[in-house]
Amino acid sequence: MHVDGMRLRCLGSNYRIEQNKNIRVSGAHWLADGLRLNISLKSLDLTGNNIGNEGVRCLSSWLRGNTTLKQLNLGRNNIRDAGVGVLADALWGNTTLEELNLVNNKIGDEGAGLLADLLLGPTALKRLLLTQNNIVSVGAGRLADALRGNTTLKSLYLTGNAIGDEGARLLADALRGNTTLERLNLQFTRLGDEGTRVLADALRGNTVLTRLWLGKNKIGDKGAERLFDGLKGNTTLKFLDISWVQFSAEGWAQLADWLQYNTTLTFLGISNHDWRFGDEEAERLADALRSNTTLLDVYFSGKVLPQLQEILDRNAGLKRYAVNCRQMVFVWCAQASSHLPVEVIELIVEQSVWDHQLLPRELHSFLSAGEHEHASD
């Protein structure tokens, strides 16, 4: 693939190559040559183009001297640890890049460690997306070490990495001293009750984190008890997703009790195929939703019990609720004056990572084109 250097020189602030064009190494080489002529590019999206480690090497020579790029998306490009090493070296000392997206590559603990070193150097990184890689507890530990010294990162996405309870413990220890991280996504990370316990203990006194994703994990009733007990001491969390966990009636009762106590949460994700409780527990949760005065958005999927449906329909405080991802898309699109709320965008993106047919084609284009603003970053 050849890239017209003159055209790149005249680009505005954003450039995106369509996904699955497979520009590979040769395309990355031509792109890097063309980008050297550009002095205004702020966002570059190469998602799904299979540039690999060698493609990253081609881009790195341009990245070393770049002082304008703020967003770099290299998701789904078959990048491994060696490629991350080249990328981290090129970005060392860079104080303009704010978002680095490495979703769905083949990055392991070594690569996570190299990114951790980058976070401890001179950097402006605010968002690091590592969803669906091969990072386990060792890599999570390296990133946790970085969180202790880093003062810029606001969002860390580790969705789909098998960090387990040990990785959660290491991250929890780091959260106790971190003063900047606002969003932490630990969906589908093999988190269990013990990992949930240590995270909850860390959140008890945390005054920075506002959004937390714990869904698609093996969190049972014991984890629920510790989670909601810990969150009773937290006054900053506004967004919580606990979809597809393994609560029984007891766990959902713990949620209901916490909702009646909580005065800060505005978004709650509780999707589940199997609501394992009866009428009494459903009424308890319905009462909590009725009495809670701060929740604005609730996201369900799967079966919604009649008691909950009735309360949601009659709850004047709720601005929006949806019972599946497709309905959520249309509800929010219909009510958004210009842009979707950033927390909704993030939930939709996370859902679409697992099922690319889940969302309407137009919305996929909207999201992947980066037209939304991360207003709260």
Side-chain angles (χ1 to χ4, degrees):
M1 174 179 174
H2 292 258
V3 178
D4 187 339
M6 290 302 293
R7 184 165 63 86
L8 286 173
R9 184 192 306 179
C10 299
L11 281 177
S13 60
N14 300 284
Y15 186 61
R16 175 176 176 262
I17 292 180
E18 188 175 345
Q19 296 184 30
N20 303 318
K21 285 296 184 182
N22 278 327
I23 69 170
R24 298 181 183 270
V25 177
S26 59
H29 172 77
W30 285 103
L31 181 62
D33 281 348
L35 286 172
R36 289 189 184 94
L37 304 173
N38 184 283
I39 58 173
S40 61
L41 193 69
K42 293 183 179 181
S43 177
L44 178 61
D45 186 352
L46 298 180
T47 303
N49 275 288
N50 199 28
I51 66 172
N53 291 346
E54 287 305 309
V56 172
R57 195 177 303 278
C58 294
L59 290 174
S60 65
S61 58
W62 164 69
L63 285 170
R64 281 191 180 88
N66 181 273
T67 58
T68 61
L69 196 70
K70 291 183 177 293
Q71 294 177 314
L72 177 60
N73 189 337
L74 296 176
R76 304 208 327 265
N77 268 294
N78 197 29
I79 298 170
R80 301 170 186 263
D81 290 342
V84 173
V86 173
L87 181 63
D89 182 62
L91 292 175
W92 180 261
N94 181 300
T95 55
T96 54
L97 190 71
E98 296 180 353
E99 177 174 324
L100 179 58
N101 187 331
L102 293 170
V103 165
N104 204 352
N105 282 291
K106 297 179 179 179
I107 301 167
D109 289 338
E110 181 182 351
L114 293 165
L115 291 170
D117 291 340
L118 180 65
L119 288 171
L120 287 171
T123 183
L125 273 178
K126 294 181 179 181
R127 294 169 56 86
L128 179 58
L129 291 84
L130 295 172
T131 296
Q132 280 188 294
N133 277 286
N134 300 324
I135 300 166
V136 294
S137 60
V138 175
R142 293 294 305 276
L143 291 168
D145 289 341
L147 288 177
R148 292 186 179 90
N150 177 275
T151 58
T152 63
L153 197 69
K154 293 186 176 183
S155 302
L156 178 60
Y157 287 69
L158 290 173
T159 318
N161 291 280
I163 67 169
D165 286 343
E166 176 61 15
R169 182 188 67 79
L170 296 167
L171 288 169
D173 287 344
L175 285 178
R176 289 186 173 90
N178 180 275
T179 59
T180 55
L181 194 71
E182 297 175 356
R183 305 174 189 185
L184 179 61
N185 195 320
L186 297 178
Q187 283 184 314
F188 201 55
T189 53
R190 299 189 183 178
L191 185 66
D193 288 344
E194 179 59 22
T196 305
R197 180 188 68 80
V198 293
L199 276 172
D201 287 346
L203 290 173
R204 191 183 301 274
N206 183 284
T207 59
V208 183
L209 201 73
T210 59
R211 294 178 173 87
L212 178 64
W213 290 258
L214 296 176
K216 301 183 178 76
N217 281 303
K218 295 182 178 180
I219 304 172
D221 293 339
K222 289 184 179 179
E225 180 181 2
R226 294 305 297 265
L227 174 64
F228 298 123
D229 182 59
L231 289 178
K232 286 178 181 178
N234 180 286
T235 58
T236 55
L237 196 69
K238 296 180 179 180
F239 177 112
L240 178 65
D241 183 76
I242 48 172
S243 300
W244 317 114
V245 291
Q246 297 183 356
F247 295 177
S248 70
E250 182 181 345
W252 294 116
Q254 294 287 340
L255 168 64
D257 289 346
W258 176 66
L259 284 176
Q260 290 184 324
Y261 176 92
N262 180 269
T263 58
T264 59
L265 200 72
T266 60
F267 185 102
L268 177 64
I270 49 174
S271 303
N272 213 305
H273 277 313
D274 180 20
W275 296 96
R276 291 187 291 164
F277 53 61
D279 290 344
E280 181 180 346
E281 290 78 19
E283 283 292 344
R284 192 168 174 180
L285 184 54
D287 286 343
L289 289 171
R290 184 188 296 113
S291 62
N292 184 286
T293 59
T294 57
L295 266 176
L296 300 177
D297 301 294
V298 178
Y299 171 55
F300 289 88
S301 184
K303 180 182 178 182
V304 180
L305 296 173
Q307 300 96 319
L308 299 182
Q309 185 80 55
E310 181 183 356
I311 293 302
L312 291 168
D313 288 338
R314 292 191 290 109
N315 191 327
L318 285 175
K319 288 185 177 178
R320 297 167 288 255
Y321 80 89
V323 296
N324 57 61
C325 194
R326 185 171 292 274
Q327 180 188 345
M328 178 174 68
V329 168
F330 291 116
V331 167
W332 269 281
C333 283
Q335 296 191 10
S337 57
S338 57
H339 296 290
L340 294 174
V342 66
E343 62 270 19
V344 176
I345 291 170
E346 291 181 340
L347 184 62
I348 293 172
V349 170
E350 285 300 321
Q351 294 286 5
S352 65
V353 164
W354 305 104
D355 182 357
H356 290 280
Q357 303 304 314
L358 191 61
L359 304 180
R361 181 178 300 174
E362 315 82 67
L363 188 66
H364 265 306
S365 299
F366 169 75
L367 293 173
S368 57
E371 294 176 11
H372 57 276
E373 297 291 334
H374 301 299
S376 58
D377 276 349

